[in-house]
């Protein structure tokens, strides 16, 4: 598995294009990611985490335009859409009605998709290099505590990754709050 310098996310593009699973620092914890449009990559990531597909996954992007087709911001009222857009970029994850590009292996058993436009510089650089959103789920086995530092990454997970973007999390104390975009209801605090 390649270990990459802080500012070279382009090195992860070949593994991502080939259906690989990578690890990278996010706002509060280390994340696992892959191409959300590649069903085999997503299923591999879910198997590594021991997470059921029905729970759905979060997508992270560098800018709102990268979410075009994945979500339907236009399905929200003007007031709710403004609340979502004003929170980005930042550590705010919203469940937005799924768009035509969002397959069931991403939405799970839900009609919405959890998305975040990050302000974390490495996440943004990675999504910009990739040219779109990436899956972003905590780098841990289901039910285990998330890794807050690279040293806390589970060796069992590391052994199966195709790349790792070295760096530091954004220092946030908790993973991002997840709220329903249509009404602001908190799903995860």
């Amino acid at each position: 598995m390649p270990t990459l310098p802080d500012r070279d996310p382009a090195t992860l593009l070949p593994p991502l294009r080939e259906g690989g699973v990578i690890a990278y620092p996010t706002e509060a914890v280390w994340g696992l990611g892959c191409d959300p449009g590649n069903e085999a990559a997503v299923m591999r990531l879910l198997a590594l985490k021991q997470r059921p597909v029905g729970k759905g996954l979060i997508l992270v992007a560098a800018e709102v335009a990268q979410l075009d087709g994945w979500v339907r911001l236009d399905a929200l009222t003007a007031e709710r859409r403004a609340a979502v857009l004003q929170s980005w970029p930042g550590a705010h994850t919203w469940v937005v009605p799924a768009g035509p590009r969002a397959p069931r292996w991403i939405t799970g058993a839900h009609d919405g998709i959890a998305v975040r436009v990050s302000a974390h510089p490495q996440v943004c650089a990675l999504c910009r290099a990739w040219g779109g959103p990436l899956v972003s789920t905590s780098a841990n086995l289901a039910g285990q505590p998330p890794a807050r530092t690279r040293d806390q990454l589970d060796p069992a997970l590391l052994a199966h990754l195709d790349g790792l973007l070295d760096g530091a999390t954004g220092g946030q104390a908790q993973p991002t709050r997840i709220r329903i975009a249509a009404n602001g209801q908190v799903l995860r605090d």
Side-chain angles (χ1 to χ4, degrees):
M1 172 188 59
T3 299
L4 306 173
D6 280 1
R7 308 242 181 230
D8 192 11
T11 311
L12 289 175
L13 299 183
L16 285 169
R17 286 189 196 108
E18 295 168 11
V21 176
I22 63 167
Y24 56 93
T26 70
E27 292 87 349
V29 299
W30 274 74
L32 294 178
C34 67
D35 174 359
N38 183 326
E39 182 178 11
V42 172
M43 292 301 161
R44 184 168 163 240
L45 181 148
L46 291 170
L48 286 172
K49 268 192 70 86
Q50 301 171 2
R51 179 184 171 96
V53 69
K55 285 185 130 182
L57 290 163
I58 295 172
L59 296 187
V60 67
E63 53 253 345
V64 175
Q66 290 186 334
L67 298 174
D68 287 350
W70 290 96
V71 296
R72 293 190 50 238
L73 288 168
D74 63 338
L76 301 173
T77 65
E79 179 183 339
R80 294 306 312 151
R81 186 172 46 253
V84 169
L85 294 175
Q86 287 171 3
S87 74
W88 289 337
H92 304 278
T93 301
W94 296 93
V95 177
V96 179
R101 291 184 68 185
R104 283 289 167 202
W105 61 80
I106 294 296
T107 62
H110 311 285
D111 293 327
I113 183 169
V115 293
R116 178 171 73 255
V117 176
S118 182
H120 189 284
Q122 288 176 287
V123 172
C124 291
L126 182 59
C127 290
R128 284 190 183 104
W130 174 245
L134 290 166
V135 168
S136 185
T137 185
S138 58
N140 59 301
L141 299 177
Q144 298 298 312
R148 295 190 176 279
T149 66
R150 181 177 171 196
D151 291 343
Q152 292 176 350
L153 288 168
D154 187 327
L157 281 178
L158 283 172
H160 296 286
L161 297 179
D162 302 295
L164 183 143
L165 184 62
D166 217 358
T169 63
Q172 212 177 277
Q174 296 296 320
T176 61
R177 175 184 293 169
I178 300 176
R179 292 179 282 175
I180 297 174
N183 59 22
Q185 176 187 351
V186 175
L187 295 177
R188 178 182 80 186
D189 200 8

